[in-house]
Amino acid sequence: MAIVFKGAAAIVTGGASGIGQSIVRALAARGARVVVADIDGEGAEAEASALRAKGCEAVAKTVDVTDAGAVERLVAGVEKRWGQLDFLFNNAGVIYVGELLDMDDDAWQRCIDINLWGVINGVRAAYPRMARQGSGCIVNTGSIAGLGPAPGFTIYAATKHAVVGLSQSLRGEARKYGVQVNVLCPGFVSTPMVTNASYARMDGAAAAASMRKRGVFTEPDLVAADLMQGIERDTPVIVTPATARLAMSILRYAPFTGEIFSGKFMEAIRGFRTRK
Ligand SMILES: NC(=O)c1ccc[n+]([C@@H]2O[C@H](COP(=O)([O-])OP(=O)(O)OC[C@H]3O[C@@H](n4cnc5c(N)ncnc54)[C@H](O)[C@@H]3O)[C@@H](O)[C@H]2O)c1
């Protein structure tokens, strides 16, 4: 499928912050019409109005991606407004950090609802429309935690592995109908997510500070730039930045390195565990 951003109609979920916000800006800079969709309606409106002030076509929608009906209305609304839907970025997500033994039912439910059902709801609303159109591109945000082990992020990793599997499999089905499917798998990115993470029985502030100090973080604008290139090249799994690509290549050819790294990471996480 020939990728044309100029004049395209795009939806970005989780578009008010972090990676989603950078995707919104990258699309707008390439001349796309963008819906900034987020549960944070104020943040979405702030982003959309800032883009409109620069002459871009952008609208904000307050949407909870766990609400299938709301996602359906979001997608139908874009089709009605702009006559088509060219891009859907299923990007909204949350993370739960800590020992699995400390996670309650709510952590499982909420993480799966947002990270996996949020993507499913987007796919179920957009894919049939794009298939009928004979064109379109669905980009789901996974993570490198969806490509290998991520102890300390076990529930999150389960959702991201599912997102990668869904994306790679749908890709094989959708090609016949002219629909492109890609999955974005970033390493650590400097966004509010680390601060906003749900830390189970942990000193979250100290853990976040330590992760920021020790982790190799990339900027969300660089992720969005790599993503745009990956979409144009139709790279099935877009791993970014280069350090994450290197780590994933090493993991593929020497899986024991994942055990060593993740063991050390888990010990660091346990260092911030609190007693009740
Ligand atoms: N930051 C990282 O290190 C990193 C690494 C790999 C993958 N990711 C993934 O990138 C995506 C974006 O994360 P980010 O780092 O930009 O985080 P972020 O917290 O900056 O942004 C997430 C956005 O999603 C929105 N959101 C949360 N729940 C929602 C819901 N139910 N409905 C609609 N919107 C909702 C939030 O309001 C927020 O604007 C997520 O899927 C995340 O898992 C992040």
Side-chain angles (χ1 to χ4, degrees), residues 26-254:
L27 290 167
R30 286 160 177 77
R33 297 171 286 179
V34 193
V35 176
V36 186
D38 206 292
I39 200 164
D40 170 11
E42 273 182 31
E45 182 48 45
E47 185 55 33
S49 58
L51 289 172
R52 284 195 299 272
K54 290 182 185 162
C56 305
E57 201 168 341
V59 288
K61 292 282 171 201
T62 308
V63 178
D64 179 349
V65 296
T66 69
D67 180 345
V71 175
E72 166 61 26
R73 287 191 292 281
L74 170 74
V75 170
V78 169
E79 205 180 35
K80 198 168 164 209
R81 186 186 190 106
W82 288 327
Q84 68 205 64
L85 174 65
D86 301 301
F87 291 95
L88 173 63
F89 293 82
N90 286 310
N91 167 77
V94 291
I95 191 165
Y96 282 75
V97 183
E99 189 80 60
L100 193 67
L101 291 170
D102 296 333
M103 298 288 169
D104 57 16
D105 292 352
D106 187 60
W108 278 104
Q109 195 68 53
R110 191 161 166 269
C111 199
I112 292 173
D113 278 352
I114 297 173
N115 293 6
L116 181 55
W117 273 103
V119 173
I120 295 170
N121 290 336
V123 166
R124 294 192 75 195
Y127 178 50
R129 288 183 164 88
M130 289 179 174
R132 274 199 302 275
Q133 261 174 205
S135 67
C137 178
I138 297 173
V139 182
N140 300 323
T141 302
S143 165
I144 56 167
L147 298 173
F153 301 160
T154 296
I155 301 177
Y156 179 79
T159 66
K160 294 299 184 179
H161 275 263
V163 167
V164 172
L166 186 162
S167 308
Q168 289 185 305
S169 306
L170 177 60
R171 177 181 169 82
E173 291 193 29
R175 192 179 298 115
K176 180 180 188 324
Y177 303 107
V179 181
Q180 175 174 322
V181 181
N182 308 92
V183 60
L184 170 68
C185 291
F188 282 113
V189 189
S190 203
T191 71
M193 182 175 255
V194 174
T195 311
N196 296 343
S198 300
Y199 292 92
R201 274 180 68 182
M202 284 177 71
D203 180 345
S210 168
M211 269 194 258
R212 265 196 228 92
K213 198 168 150 200
R214 294 208 224 164
V216 183
F217 280 83
T218 191
E219 291 304 316
D221 284 350
L222 297 178
V223 170
D226 264 6
L227 174 61
M228 296 298 126
Q229 194 179 66
I231 293 169
E232 281 169 338
R233 292 179 180 170
D234 194 13
T235 307
V237 182
I238 303 166
V239 182
T240 181
T243 46
R245 283 195 289 280
L246 178 66
M248 290 305 104
S249 301
I250 294 171
L251 183 65
R252 190 173 314 127
Y253 295 110

